[in-house]
Amino acid sequence: MKQARMILDKDFTIGSVDKRIFGSFIEHLGRAVYGGIYEPGHPTADKLGFRQDVAKLVRDLQVPIIRYPGGNFVSGFNWEDSVGPRSQRPKRLDLAWFTTETNQVGMHEFLDWASQVKAETMYAVNLGTRGADAARNVVEYANHPGGSYYSDLRIQNGAKDPFGIKLWCLGNEMDGPWQIGHKTAYEYGRLANETAKVMKWVDPTIELVACGSSALDMPTFGAWEREMLEECYDNIEYVSLHRYYGNRTANTPDFLARSMDMDAFIKSVAAICDAVGGRRHSKKKLGLSFDEWNVWYHSSEQDKEIQKKDKWGPALPLLEDIYNFEDALLVGSMLVTLLRNADRVKIACLAQLVNVIAPIMTRNGGGAWAQTIYWPFMHASLYGRGTALRPIVESPVYDCTDYEAVPLLDATATLSPEGDVTIFAVNRDLKEPLELSADLRAFGKLQVAEHIVLHHDDVNAINTEEAPNTVAPVTKVDGTMDDGKLSISIPALSWNVIRLKKI
Ligand code: AHR
């Protein structure tokens, strides 16, 4: 029997969990908006055209913040196209994804939808083809009460009250050669700084995210962060990180270890931020915004065909990864990694939310269902709030192609304001359960309220419209509590949420 040990103490904490780490992302890309959240004529559509079956699945995730409108899309986007009478909005070629954007869902419509699903919006400005002028104008449009050109235009367009968007991204992946308006770190840093200044002069209450590297393996990684931060450190609050993983070699042990790369990425960016801050004698500590993370690889070949066949088609079915069971396990480990770094990561966005590399899938005119990755994301969002605890974990380890000493048990825990403890754990062992013994004596009397387990015998199992519950969590009450010590079995290859209630 393989054994693992965990020690938790209420005084050993990482920090309070910023609920925005359970954010997500909707880009004007593929069927995320058109055919995803919005489908007028669908049997569940409301009078604005928003699918209520999708809205319910989103609400159930309790996503506190949604990044919008891109992504690569934003680097060629004119925000002005997306406001005003719909019949007069232009159709534009989208050079990021080689499709056509109709602008039928724009800023007002999206913000209406976001409030339906009880989420704030994190709005990205275009620093690809545009710059400080368009950015200050969109802040004035969205946040200024009235009495100026753009704020009065918003009122004329039907929104008397300001939208009050608090969090803004200064462009997207500006380090990537694929980006419309790709820049060097110095060019971007200067532009980000000048844009940040004028955006904050319009609304000093906003917070800003500067673009870090679009992946850890970018050749410019590290130098990019350092050089651009030298230019804009004083005027921004967060640096972004993006990371996607795939199991291209069908090597599950390797794939499940990828969260170690995510952890290293976070630690490296935090260190670079602090080095720049230190050199500048700054008292300010930057936060991290992991505003794109997920598994993304299943749809890559199919997308090439779609784009070859139907270039410039609107709402093409792009990036429609169908997630399997092992993807859900890695997503679980990535959530554990975000919680373990809750002192530094203040915002994170599962990329994306509907149809495009998403936990929620839809069929045009048909159903909406939860993919495998929906479940760990929902559990972490619902039960991972409060204080992130700093556990001591002892686990057997394994070696694989890319990593050494990978713990079989990937686990962390949170403490709610009510004194309840939740343990999140992935067992990476392909075959054997782990017998976990957790020392919880510091928390007083606790009892196992539920043990949620996500497991399937086949790592390739998927959910479909016809069989949406193939990979779905089961809830049991098991394990024993003896004098503050929990003994519980963590099944082979599984995602676990152990909810311990204070009694
Ligand atoms: O999320 C899909 C794409 O991935 C985004 O548009 C881009 O920012 C990233 O490369």
Side-chain angles (χ1 to χ4, degrees):
M1 211 56 101
K2 286 186 179 156
Q3 315 270 348
R5 225 158 69 85
M6 186 176 209
I7 305 170
L8 294 166
D9 192 297
K10 58 182 183 333
D11 292 324
F12 295 168
T13 64
I14 292 168
S16 69
V17 177
D18 190 320
K19 67 177 182 188
R20 297 174 301 175
I21 70 167
F22 305 114
S24 189
F25 176 29
I26 291 273
E27 177 168 3
H28 279 257
L29 157 57
R31 296 190 309 123
V33 175
Y34 308 106
I37 63 172
Y38 176 78
E39 193 181 342
H42 187 274
T44 71
D46 65 6
K47 61 180 191 319
L48 301 169
F50 291 116
R51 284 182 64 154
Q52 293 305 299
D53 54 348
V54 176
K56 174 171 184 335
L57 282 162
V58 174
R59 265 194 301 271
D60 289 350
L61 290 174
Q62 294 188 15
V63 182
I65 194 156
I66 302 177
R67 185 167 175 252
Y68 176 82
N72 295 339
F73 169 79
V74 83
S75 297
F77 173 61
N78 298 330
W79 70 267
E80 302 88 335
D81 293 347
S82 80
V83 300
R86 279 164 152 182
S87 59
Q88 287 164 32
R89 293 185 197 167
K91 282 192 184 132
R92 298 270 189 204
L93 294 186
D94 165 19
L95 304 186
W97 302 103
F98 300 101
T99 61
T100 300
E101 172 55 50
T102 63
N103 284 303
Q104 289 309 291
V105 171
M107 188 187 245
H108 291 245
E109 294 80 23
F110 182 79
L111 286 158
D112 272 349
W113 177 79
S115 65
Q116 269 189 22
V117 298
K118 300 187 172 22
E120 301 273 311
T121 297
M122 172 182 189
Y123 196 89
V125 300
N126 173 356
L127 293 190
T129 58
R130 306 191 80 186
D133 192 41
R136 69 165 175 148
N137 292 341
V138 70
V139 177
E140 179 184 320
Y141 185 92
N143 288 4
H144 195 67
S148 67
Y149 177 79
Y150 284 107
S151 57
D152 287 346
L153 188 58
R154 181 199 70 240
I155 295 167
Q156 192 186 309
N157 288 336
K160 187 173 163 296
D161 295 327
F163 294 131
I165 300 173
K166 290 287 167 232
L167 187 61
W168 297 74
C169 303
L170 293 164
N172 175 70
E173 295 190 348
M174 299 311 301
D175 63 322
W178 59 86
Q179 200 67 214
I180 304 168
H182 168 224
K183 295 181 172 44
T184 65
Y186 177 73
E187 287 166 346
Y188 172 70
R190 289 280 306 124
L191 179 60
N193 193 51
E194 293 309 312
T195 306
K197 270 165 45 184
V198 292
M199 288 171 80
K200 285 184 171 172
W201 285 342
V202 176
D203 181 353
T205 70
I206 61 175
E207 292 192 307
L208 298 174
V209 183
C211 294
S213 292
S214 48
L216 180 57
D217 44 16
M218 289 298 288
T220 48
F221 170 70
W224 171 272
E225 279 77 359
R226 184 175 46 74
E227 285 173 37
M228 71 88 184
L229 281 175
E230 285 290 357
E231 303 307 317
C232 66
Y233 194 97
D234 295 339
N235 288 309
I236 61 146
E237 281 69 39
Y238 308 96
V239 173
S240 76
L241 300 85
H242 290 181
R243 198 70 172 129
Y244 296 100
Y245 298 108
N247 187 4
R248 291 194 170 78
T249 54
N251 180 335
T252 300
D254 241 45
F255 179 61
L256 295 183
R258 296 274 178 245
S259 54
M260 292 175 66
D261 169 281
M262 184 189 201
D263 190 70
F265 190 15
I266 293 170
K267 302 272 189 319
S268 309
V269 177
I272 298 166
C273 289
D274 292 345
V276 176
R279 199 207 62 74
R280 300 171 69 82
H281 306 286
S282 175
K283 290 199 175 74
K284 172 165 153 186
K285 198 159 191 167
L286 296 180
L288 304 185
S289 172
F290 214 124
D291 48 42
E292 287 189 34
W293 68 270
N294 203 347
V295 172
W296 173 14
Y297 76 107
H298 296 284
S299 60
S300 307
E301 289 310 307
Q302 170 186 318
D303 285 350
K304 287 182 199 146
E305 288 308 306
I306 295 172
Q307 282 175 316
K308 224 191 290 162
K309 260 200 342 240
D310 199 8
K311 200 170 174 186
W312 308 125
L316 299 176
L318 293 172
L319 280 68
E320 298 205 356
D321 272 40
I322 303 302
Y323 290 115
N324 61 27
F325 170 58
E326 68 177 9
D327 297 329
L329 293 180
L330 181 61
V331 162
S333 272
M334 291 173 89
L335 287 157
V336 165
T337 306
L338 291 172
L339 284 169
R340 265 204 221 109
N341 288 284
D343 53 337
R344 234 27 225 268
V345 180
K346 299 295 168 190
I347 304 151
C349 304
L350 174 68
Q352 300 191 9
L353 188 53
V354 182
N355 287 331
V356 171
I357 45 173
I360 298 167
M361 287 302 292
T362 71
R363 184 165 60 79
N364 293 353
W369 63 100
Q371 295 227 62
T372 60
I373 63 168
Y374 183 91
W375 299 113
F377 185 72
M378 185 179 98
H379 298 147
S381 174
L382 263 51
Y383 308 124
R385 305 192 184 196
T387 302
L389 296 170
R390 188 182 294 283
I392 295 173
V393 179
E394 281 173 19
S395 162
V397 296
Y398 66 93
D399 293 338
C400 54
T401 318
D402 291 339
Y403 304 90
E404 279 175 12
V406 182
L408 286 172
L409 182 75
D410 191 16
T412 196
T414 54
L415 174 66
S416 79
E418 296 75 35
D420 303 331
V421 176
T422 302
I423 297 173
F424 300 94
V426 172
N427 181 358
R428 293 176 169 129
D429 196 305
L430 303 192
K431 294 205 171 72
E432 288 182 55
L434 277 166
E435 298 310 315
L436 173 66
S437 126
D439 186 337
L440 296 145
R441 283 175 296 181
F443 299 93
K445 271 195 167 292
L446 293 171
Q447 74 181 24
V448 179
E450 57 177 351
H451 177 189
I452 305 170
V453 179
L454 188 71
H455 169 77
H456 200 285
D457 289 338
D458 178 4
V459 288
N460 293 310
I462 57 168
N463 291 341
T464 61
E465 185 178 5
E466 296 71 35
N469 297 317
T470 306
V471 181
V474 292
T475 297
K476 48 191 175 178
V477 180
D478 62 354
T480 55
M481 278 300 274
D482 185 14
D483 208 11
K485 288 195 174 165
L486 168 72
S487 303
I488 197 161
S489 183
I490 309 291
L493 273 189
S494 63
W495 159 255
N496 299 261
V497 183
I498 304 161
R499 299 185 59 217
L500 301 151
K501 280 248 163 247
K502 189 149 183 79
I503 45 173

